[in-house]
Amino acid sequence: MNPRILVDCHTHTAFSFDSTTPLEQMCRQALRLGISVYVVTDHCDHCADTADQEPACLEFDKSRAWEDTEEAFLGVSAWKEAHPDFPVKVLNGIELGQPLQDLPVAEQILARPYDMVIGSLHSISGHPDFYYLNYREMSKVEIDRLLSAYFEEMLRTVVWGKFDTLAHITYPFRYLVEQGVPFSLSSFDDRIDEVLRALAQSGKALEVNTSGLRQKIGQTLPPEKYLKRFRELGGEFVTIGSDAHRVEDVGSGIKEGYHILQKAGFSKLTYFEKRRPVLIKL
């Protein structure tokens, strides 16, 4: 690994509903940590069919999706213009959540000239974000049905394909761990394999999200097993991101993530600039 080239491709600022940290502070922290490429990917979650179920949805009214993401895009653009000599390459991205649940809005948003688009799934239609679910009150059958629907929607999102990298594909499982609910991730191997195969065939990137390394789940999202499988299926592009919402989490787990990717068989890492992949050696 070349320690001079560190990238963090998944971060959030106060432009996201779930962060209060100004962009300036996040960028300055990236500089202090020696990060060379820092991608701002503030949330755009449509929260389709969940506005009366999920309190956080009230923070970013679905009807304001365009205005809110416009504010974020223009805010990052303005910061970059005001800091033309900033030593870190700051890129303007977005985390587009649940795009299939409101395709007209999603595709309108994607008309903006982003550097990088993260595709993600935090909830399935008709349900709150997995973060808000109480798994202790659910039967194993209910949990299995919910997770099966999650991977089905994820596969359809990959087929849609208007993103650059697919984020934290094992997202729901960190909340099962946090609530102490037993589960078998391997029981979903076939479902995950379908997603990884479609992703590899589409030429899209898979994200290794390092947030799990600082959480109770104690592993990247997805873990090394699935990164290795993506490589076996012909996956070429992988991105890495801390999913930081706070200054102290910028770059968290990135170096460890590099090592995990190398163990999984990757020799190069990807970030996107003007929606085009840029490869660097691990």
Side-chain angles (χ1 to χ4, degrees):
M1 182 184 73
N2 184 345
R4 293 174 299 174
I5 305 177
L6 294 177
V7 303
D8 192 343
C9 292
H10 188 154
T11 69
H12 300 278
T13 74
F15 290 116
S16 284
F17 77 100
D18 54 357
S19 174
T20 59
T21 310
L23 172 62
E24 174 81 18
Q25 292 183 21
M26 299 293 272
C27 291
R28 296 291 173 187
Q29 178 71 348
L31 177 60
R32 282 191 290 270
L33 294 173
I35 292 171
S36 298
V37 180
Y38 178 78
V39 190
V40 184
T41 54
D42 282 311
H43 283 294
C44 179
D45 282 44
H46 303 322
C47 294
D49 304 323
T50 67
D52 60 347
Q53 303 177 51
E54 183 177 344
C57 285
L58 301 177
E59 300 284 348
F60 50 86
D61 183 350
K62 178 184 169 185
S63 66
R64 284 187 48 83
W66 178 266
E67 292 84 355
D68 291 346
T69 54
E70 179 78 357
E71 181 182 0
F73 178 79
L74 293 176
V76 176
S77 298
W79 191 92
K80 290 179 65 177
E81 289 178 7
H83 301 81
D85 299 321
F86 194 67
V88 178
K89 182 188 287 288
V90 178
L91 298 176
N92 200 342
I94 187 172
E95 182 179 1
L96 189 63
Q98 301 75 251
L100 300 190
Q101 295 178 30
D102 196 336
L103 272 177
V105 172
E107 296 190 353
Q108 187 180 23
I109 286 167
L110 291 179
R112 299 190 186 103
Y114 287 106
D115 284 302
M116 179 173 171
V117 175
I118 293 176
S120 68
L121 191 59
H122 301 109
S123 66
I124 58 174
S125 184
H127 293 269
D129 190 310
F130 286 97
Y131 172 87
Y132 295 99
L133 296 176
N134 188 340
Y135 301 98
R136 298 188 191 94
E137 295 181 350
M138 300 170 66
S139 69
K140 182 180 183 302
V141 170
E142 290 173 319
I143 293 173
D144 286 351
R145 187 181 299 123
L146 188 69
L147 294 174
S148 292
Y150 169 75
F151 287 116
E152 287 171 6
E153 185 166 339
M154 182 172 288
L155 181 59
R156 288 189 285 110
T157 301
V158 173
V159 172
W160 173 68
K162 295 184 181 179
F163 59 89
D164 300 313
T165 188
L166 186 65
H168 47 55
I169 66 170
T170 50
Y171 175 79
F173 295 93
R174 69 181 179 191
Y175 302 118
L176 288 165
V177 170
E178 287 177 3
Q179 294 182 30
V181 177
F183 68 93
S184 171
L185 181 56
S186 61
S187 66
F188 291 91
D189 279 358
D190 289 345
R191 297 278 189 174
I192 295 172
D193 215 61
E194 288 181 322
V195 171
L196 296 177
R197 187 182 303 275
L199 196 65
Q201 291 175 348
S202 71
K204 299 295 180 181
L206 174 66
E207 177 191 84
V208 53
N209 188 297
T210 64
S211 64
L213 295 174
R214 60 181 184 269
Q215 296 167 341
K216 191 174 180 179
I217 194 170
Q219 60 187 21
T220 57
L221 310 173
E224 181 184 336
K225 168 184 174 179
Y226 299 110
L227 297 169
K228 183 177 180 180
R229 181 57 178 156
F230 181 59
R231 187 74 190 99
E232 291 171 348
L233 291 168
E236 180 182 1
F237 302 122
V238 283
T239 65
I240 192 166
S242 66
D243 210 343
H245 292 66
R246 309 177 304 166
V247 165
E248 52 265 44
D249 292 332
V250 172
S252 176
I254 295 297
K255 291 181 180 179
E256 187 173 347
Y258 275 35
H259 180 62
I260 291 169
L261 283 170
Q262 287 176 319
K263 287 174 63 181
F266 290 93
S267 61
K268 294 181 180 179
L269 186 68
T270 304
Y271 67 89
F272 289 82
E273 188 168 3
K274 297 181 180 178
R275 304 295 305 276
R276 295 182 179 180
V278 179
L279 298 177
I280 61 173
K281 291 183 180 181
L282 281 169

